[in-house]
Amino acid sequence: MGKSKSYRTPPLFQSKLLCFSMLYLFTVLFIALYHALSETKCLFRSSPFDPIQAPLFSYPSTYGEHKYAIPTHRSSCSSPVFFSDYWPVLEEIQNLCRNSSAFTPVLRYMRRNAVTFGGNFSTRKRLSYFDHHNDNVNVPCGFLNKFPVSNSDRTAMENCNGVVVVSAIFDNHDKIRQPKGLGSKTLDTDYKIGAWRIVKVSMMNLYENPAMNVVIPKYLVHRLFPNSKFSIWINAQLQLTVDPLLLIHTLVLMENVDMAIPKHPLFIHTMEQAMETARWKKWWDVDSLQLQMETYCKNGLQPWSSNKLPYPSDVPNTAIILRKHGLNNNLFSCLMFNELEAFNPRDQLPFAFVRDFMNPKLKLNMFEEDVFEQIAAEYRRSLKKFPRSFIGESFTAERTKRASRDLIVNSSCCSSCQNYLSEIWDESHD
């Protein structure tokens, strides 16, 4: 008779304490992996009371070929944002909007007829308005000929006396994106957002380049809505995912600033952005980019350094801009528009020059890019060709002009930007 075989538990699993420790270890690893791969938590208490859950309208199934949001890939959040409760924020902003003294003094604007919408002033003339010490001076700020909208739209825009959220679509490269996470009172008539009101703008009397026409609502929103107290600009490929009242309260009011805007995720020097613009053909006339940078260097533009603090960078991400419509913000916006008309609509290039040399100074909150990625979803732009009859007068993009010399460094010995570039070069080799 053979001996029966007996089976024993492996020694590794004979200890209950060891088994418990192994279970605990694998559980902790699983949770850590889950949090590493899950969405970054940069927002806290986003519209916690009475939010609207259902979308205000649905899109047709054929609405755009590029309809999915571009994912973000951040494993951590360097500057989480804390929101106050919705109802106290609503009450505070309503009270501020009723108190006109909180938005004084007001800026006076030049009024006359000109060949272009903005007047296209010389460099000397534009710079003469940077130091604004006399409130009786009329500042050039566009609208030197009539902005082509209907009378009914104009009246509605003038009657907006609270918070306005603005975007623009020219040449049909983008789609209307319904904001999400809105509190119930945000849709009241004083707040012109929600299901967007479409304002049709004729391009016949504006600029030939659609990108320059976008600059008008982007930087002259305080003139299109002259009685509004706060505004948010968002690029048309973005979708707000947080109530705009909470954004204004947290990023502007609580920070006690005139404007809030995200930092560029890669660049801190204006010249870096200029080189990027030329390298990737974001503007067709490379020689004009060099002229623009030479003009700014000649008039004192310096690379970013700690001497510019509390401004943490010279290069913003202008896809979203939050504003309080006071004198400082309005002056900055007017000066920016004049620079964009003079050179090109690439608004990251004159940003630091205008900010650094304007007086009074702009109080600015340049928040981190990871916060921007959590308050707005970015969608891919439409690349589909549309017939001329659908988009009206179309703009034929110019072919990129080859620069007659390097973008920044002149072939001669005396480029105005040599000192600027030397400082960046020395910094990169420290």
Side-chain angles (χ1 to χ4, degrees), residues 83 89 93 160 162-168 177 179-182 186 190-194 196 214 216-222 224-225 228-236 238-253 258-262 317-325 329-330 333 367 372 375-377:
F83 291 112
V89 167
I93 291 182
C160 179
V163 178
V164 59
V165 179
V166 181
S167 190
R177 305 291 176 188
K180 299 192 300 185
L182 303 181
T186 305
D190 284 345
Y191 306 101
K192 304 296 182 182
I193 65 166
W196 296 92
V214 171
I216 298 173
K218 187 172 187 178
Y219 282 94
L220 303 185
V221 59
H222 63 286
L224 289 171
F225 300 84
S228 61
K229 305 303 190 296
F230 301 94
S231 68
I232 299 178
W233 162 268
I234 58 169
N235 281 5
L238 297 182
Q239 178 187 42
L240 278 183
T241 56
V242 176
D243 189 286
L245 303 185
L246 296 178
L247 293 177
I248 289 289
H249 183 265
T250 299
L251 298 175
V252 177
L253 291 177
D258 305 303
M259 178 186 296
I261 193 169
N317 177 354
T318 61
I320 183 168
I321 309 174
L322 302 95
R323 299 177 170 103
K324 175 184 177 182
H325 290 180
N329 164 78
N330 296 352
S333 298
F367 54 89
F372 162 66
I375 65 177

Side-chain angles (χ1 to χ4, degrees), residues 165-230:
V165 179
V166 181
S167 190
I169 298 174
F170 285 88
D171 256 8
N172 206 60
H173 288 304
D174 296 298
K175 304 297 179 185
I176 299 171
R177 305 291 176 188
Q178 173 63 42
K180 299 192 300 185
L182 303 181
S184 59
K185 291 296 183 179
T186 305
L187 297 177
D188 283 359
T189 55
D190 284 345
Y191 306 101
K192 304 296 182 182
I193 65 166
W196 296 92
R197 175 175 179 137
I198 306 300
V199 177
K200 185 177 180 180
V201 181
S202 171
M203 295 175 61
M204 295 296 292
N205 299 321
L206 295 177
Y207 298 98
E208 187 181 30
N209 186 346
M212 189 62 210
N213 289 327
V214 171
V215 166
I216 298 173
K218 187 172 187 178
Y219 282 94
L220 303 185
V221 59
H222 63 286
R223 299 217 59 194
L224 289 171
F225 300 84
N227 296 309
S228 61
K229 305 303 190 296
F230 301 94

Side-chain angles (χ1 to χ4, degrees), residues 6-7 57 73 87-89 150 170 180 213 274 296 316 400 402:
S6 61
Y7 294 90
F57 63 87
H73 303 283
W87 291 112
V89 167
S150 68
F170 285 88
K180 299 192 300 185
N213 289 327
Y296 293 158
T400 301
R402 184 180 297 275

